[in-house]
Amino acid sequence: MNTPKVIHWFRQDLRLSDNPALFEAAKNSSILPIYILDDINSKELAMGEASRFWLHHSLNSLNKSLDQNLSIYSGDPITVILDIIDRLDIKEIFWNRCYEPWRINRDTHIKKELESKGIKVNTLNGSLLWEPWTIKKGDGTPYKVFTPYFRKGCLLSDEPRKPISTPINLDLFNDNNSLKDINALSLLPSTKWDIKMKSFWNIGELGANNRLTEFLNNGVENYKEGRNIPSKPFVSRLSPHLHFGEISPNQAWHAAQKKGDDNNIDHFCSELGWREFSYTQLYFNPELPKKNLQPKFDLFPWDKDEKKLIAWQKGQTGIPMVDAGMRELWLTGAMHNRVRMVVGSFLVKNLLLHWHHGERWFWDCLVDADLASNSASWQWIAGCGADAAPYFRIFNPVTQGQKFDSDGEYIRKYIPEISELPNKYLFNPWEAPQEELDRAGVVIGKDYPNPIIDLKLSRQNALEAFKTLKKVDD
Ligand code: FAD
């Protein structure tokens, strides 16, 4: 009897190990591995530039692992898949589930359409430790606060699935109608900013696994405290690998758990829990990327100053901790979590610019841009999300710098023009006496901008604006 031919549709699971759908597909079948770039159903949520850069390299790496058998397409997946199954006489398809609302809608439609044509559709979980609908409160509603969600909901439910191995002797075939190669998807930018960015990462499944090993050997032991210090290598930097599925959260979770019972490990696992919580929020609030979870924020008197927005985007606000973060993002495609909170708070609270501007800029620039984590985090920062930072919690970028970058290493790395300033004025150069500025060779307003806003005054303005919301509550 001929081996049945099936499709494995790679989406956000660009790996061979611990890939439940691929593992199932490989049982007694010959597999056509496919990737479809779908810029049609995503509409305004199409991947940003930095994500496309990452995807290009991730697909190349996957294709190499598949002995160049990945068939590649661009277009509406339903049209592409119907065409493939017709031409190649395929009766079964496998994929790992995705959770963004537009993907859920698309996949539901595709599943229905394929099943109506007698095609067997197998969907599995390859991206989450706990799928959103499996963790609910006693009354059947979803959790809205992280700690009970994680401690009571997740940790008291089933342990996350143990990783499964890479299928051995994959029997693969390809499609002659595939695009010629990954370059045909035109994912790389026309101006070559990506070359420098690539030097910061090791993209692909092997790189992801090496990153996890390196972090567990030389990082996690300082995680709980060290994760707040942006100049130190005490965070995993796994987020883009997790987003594209080059590694599964199960692999990260269980590898960390194997290191033993320790506060640092627990804390790392709880951060993986924040990723799960973001997905839960998005699943139960499909409008999370656009709509304030707390409707009273719909009336918030946002400012509309485009010049300030551009200064923020370019890392030219004159506030070093903010500028260092925005420049790290521009250069590397990532930003340390502590600094994401500082720059986010500065945008929405000091500049009073709508969190959508931050969410969109991050979407375009982050290599880990993730609809769930990005939208949930921006809503958290703005104070309008579930379990959000209270609106009046306004990060002071000067004291944040003094506390978490006390030796100034992070700021000096990204803002060389002020690197000769002593630590005392590194976080607030506008307050440096003239002789210190002269000694450091800095002319404020020429070498480095004057602050675009008065931190104290803008804080007061934010609190005033917040009072208008309190009136809505009363
Ligand atoms: P680690 O500290 O090593 O944590 C391990 C993993 O846990 C991360 O890789 C990530 O998958 C998850 N994680 C950690 N913190 C969070 C968190 N607060 N929320 C959700 N998951 C978390 N993360 C993204 O993956 N994509 C985004 O688009 C994104 N946008 C953000 C926007 C803002 C304004 C803020 C404040 C945070 C955002 N985050 C986002 C969350 C967090 O900053 C990153 O996940 C983290 O910095 C990634 O670095 P790491 O892999 O070294 O994290």
Side-chain angles (χ1 to χ4, degrees):
M1 201 180 87
N2 281 345
T3 315
K5 291 193 289 184
V6 303
I7 293 175
H8 174 78
W9 180 14
F10 281 102
R11 296 118 61 88
Q12 287 169 305
D13 57 335
L14 305 182
R15 64 179 185 275
L16 303 192
S17 61
D18 194 34
N19 187 323
L22 182 67
F23 191 84
E24 285 304 312
K27 290 180 180 165
N28 312 316
S29 303
S30 184
I31 303 176
L32 173 71
I34 66 168
Y35 183 85
I36 307 168
L37 179 68
D38 179 3
D39 281 334
I40 292 177
N41 295 287
S42 54
K43 301 198 178 93
E44 75 281 5
L45 297 177
M47 259 176 280
E49 290 271 307
S51 300
R52 284 171 188 267
F53 141 79
W54 188 285
L55 177 64
H56 173 91
H57 295 290
S58 196
L59 287 175
N60 264 321
S61 162
L62 178 70
N63 197 17
K64 204 166 152 206
S65 308
L66 294 167
D67 296 328
Q68 309 296 330
N69 276 303
L70 184 65
S71 291
I72 299 148
Y73 313 83
S74 176
D76 193 348
I78 185 61
T79 316
V80 173
I81 293 170
L82 285 175
D83 174 59
I84 298 174
I85 58 176
D86 264 7
R87 278 190 295 105
L88 303 180
D89 189 27
I90 292 176
K91 299 272 183 295
E92 193 165 0
I93 182 166
F94 294 78
W95 69 67
N96 289 305
R97 288 187 279 276
C98 296
Y99 305 88
E100 289 91 337
W102 70 268
R103 291 190 206 252
I104 293 178
N105 292 341
R106 178 196 68 184
D107 293 349
T108 310
H109 167 68
I110 294 178
K111 186 165 186 243
K112 221 167 131 194
E113 184 81 11
L114 292 177
E115 284 175 345
S116 76
K117 296 195 172 338
I119 307 298
K120 184 158 185 236
V121 180
N122 306 274
T123 77
L124 292 97
N125 169 17
S127 309
L128 291 179
L129 300 170
W130 297 277
E131 288 185 302
W133 52 89
T134 63
I135 304 291
K136 291 213 183 129
K137 289 193 287 189
D139 65 1
T141 60
Y143 284 94
K144 291 190 175 151
V145 179
F146 175 72
T147 305
Y149 161 79
F150 189 62
R151 302 255 157 244
K152 279 203 211 157
C154 299
L155 294 185
L156 298 185
S157 85
D158 294 341
E159 192 196 21
R161 173 184 57 71
K162 292 247 164 64
I164 46 180
S165 53
T166 307
I168 39 169
N169 298 331
L170 275 174
D171 176 8
L172 303 171
F173 67 100
N174 54 34
D175 173 10
N176 289 336
N177 281 20
S178 155
L179 290 174
K180 195 165 127 280
D181 60 21
I182 290 152
N183 292 325
L185 295 176
S186 303
L187 293 165
L188 292 180
S190 45
T191 49
K192 293 284 154 221
W193 52 260
D194 55 310
I195 293 170
K196 179 88 184 156
M197 195 175 280
K198 185 152 186 288
S199 67
F200 296 100
W201 303 99
N202 191 353
I203 302 174
E205 182 173 3
L206 182 62
N209 280 288
N210 289 344
R211 185 82 285 283
L212 176 63
T213 307
E214 169 64 24
F215 169 67
L216 292 178
N217 289 339
N218 301 304
V220 77
E221 72 269 22
N222 291 307
Y223 185 75
K224 196 167 186 310
E225 300 302 327
R227 64 184 288 273
N228 280 310
I229 306 174
S231 63
K232 298 281 182 255
F234 297 145
V235 286
S236 72
R237 286 170 63 81
L238 279 173
S239 50
H241 300 290
L242 283 165
H243 172 77
F244 285 94
E246 295 169 356
I247 194 166
S248 72
N250 305 63
Q251 290 171 303
W253 176 279
H254 285 288
Q257 294 285 329
K258 262 199 205 142
K259 296 280 295 181
D261 192 8
D262 166 84
N263 271 345
N264 290 298
I265 303 286
D266 285 352
H267 205 97
F268 174 66
C269 287
S270 79
E271 292 304 319
L272 291 174
W274 271 101
R275 177 175 179 271
E276 303 286 314
F277 186 51
S278 302
Y279 274 83
T280 292
Q281 288 178 62
L282 180 61
Y283 181 79
F284 289 107
N285 305 282
E287 305 237 41
L288 186 75
K290 285 200 194 121
K291 221 168 126 185
N292 300 315
L293 280 190
Q294 299 180 40
K296 68 177 179 194
F297 274 82
D298 296 351
L299 299 173
F300 193 82
W302 298 110
D303 200 351
K304 289 200 170 57
D305 190 328
E306 200 173 339
K307 270 200 189 141
K308 289 195 180 122
L309 177 61
I310 292 172
W312 179 82
Q313 291 171 333
K314 301 262 178 272
Q316 293 289 348
T317 67
I319 314 282
M321 197 61 184
V322 174
D323 292 341
M326 298 309 290
R327 293 183 195 187
E328 180 188 16
L329 173 63
W330 189 248
L331 188 70
T332 70
M335 191 195 301
H336 189 278
N337 181 59
R338 167 62 44 187
V339 196
R340 291 188 203 205
M341 294 193 285
V342 172
V343 305
S345 167
F346 183 77
L347 182 82
V348 296
K349 297 182 180 172
N350 296 96
L351 299 184
L352 286 184
L353 294 173
H354 200 298
W355 62 268
H356 286 167
H357 294 297
E359 190 272 340
R360 285 289 90 196
W361 185 251
F362 272 32
W363 184 255
D364 203 33
C365 297
L366 279 173
V367 288
D368 67 12
D370 183 279
L371 197 63
S373 298
N374 199 35
S375 316
S377 298
W378 275 102
Q379 292 234 19
W380 183 88
I381 287 283
C384 54
D387 197 9
Y391 186 82
F392 49 81
R393 184 169 170 209
I394 300 176
F395 287 78
N396 179 326
V398 175
T399 49
Q400 287 283 311
Q402 287 162 340
K403 190 165 173 199
F404 297 113
D405 188 34
S406 55
D407 58 5
E409 194 181 331
Y410 179 73
I411 287 190
R412 288 196 173 88
K413 183 170 176 185
Y414 292 105
I415 318 187
E417 61 268 39
I418 58 167
S419 62
E420 296 297 322
L421 279 174
N423 287 352
K424 188 169 178 204
Y425 299 111
L426 192 64
F427 309 97
N428 47 343
W430 61 93
E431 287 176 346
Q434 192 55 48
E435 63 268 24
E436 290 288 5
L437 292 170
D438 291 346
R439 208 171 298 141
V442 181
V443 179
I444 297 289
K446 182 165 166 268
D447 301 311
Y448 184 65
N450 274 304
I452 59 169
I453 201 139
D454 179 296
L455 288 176
K456 219 170 166 184
L457 195 66
S458 58
R459 183 175 193 280
Q460 278 161 9
N461 290 344
L463 292 175
E464 284 301 314
F466 178 59
K467 279 192 195 145
T468 62
L469 297 187
K470 281 193 82 180
K471 286 195 191 113
V472 181
D473 270 348
D474 295 342

